[in-house]
Amino acid sequence: MQNRQGIGVVEVILILVVLIALVLIFKNQLISLVETIFAKITSESSGI
């Protein structure tokens, strides 16, 4: 029998690295998207 328990850890680390890289690449777009969403929520909630 082979021990394949370490493969899951490596996969999780690789997925996290890719997600962090994507966040860093698209940081400005993500910030503007979140700001737009919060501005819309704020303006629509004042009408309620």
Side-chain angles (χ1 to χ4, degrees):
M1 286 190 181
Q2 294 177 348
N3 186 4
R4 295 181 181 231
Q5 200 170 14
I7 294 175
V9 175
V10 172
E11 290 173 351
V12 170
I13 291 173
L14 287 175
I15 291 171
L16 286 175
V17 167
V18 169
L19 287 175
I20 291 170
L22 287 173
V23 167
L24 291 176
I25 291 171
F26 296 108
K27 181 180 175 183
N28 292 332
Q29 289 90 344
L30 288 171
I31 290 173
S32 66
L33 176 66
V34 170
E35 287 175 349
T36 304
I37 291 171
F38 280 125
K40 188 168 187 171
I41 291 172
T42 305
S43 66
E44 301 233 352
S45 67
S46 64
I48 295 177

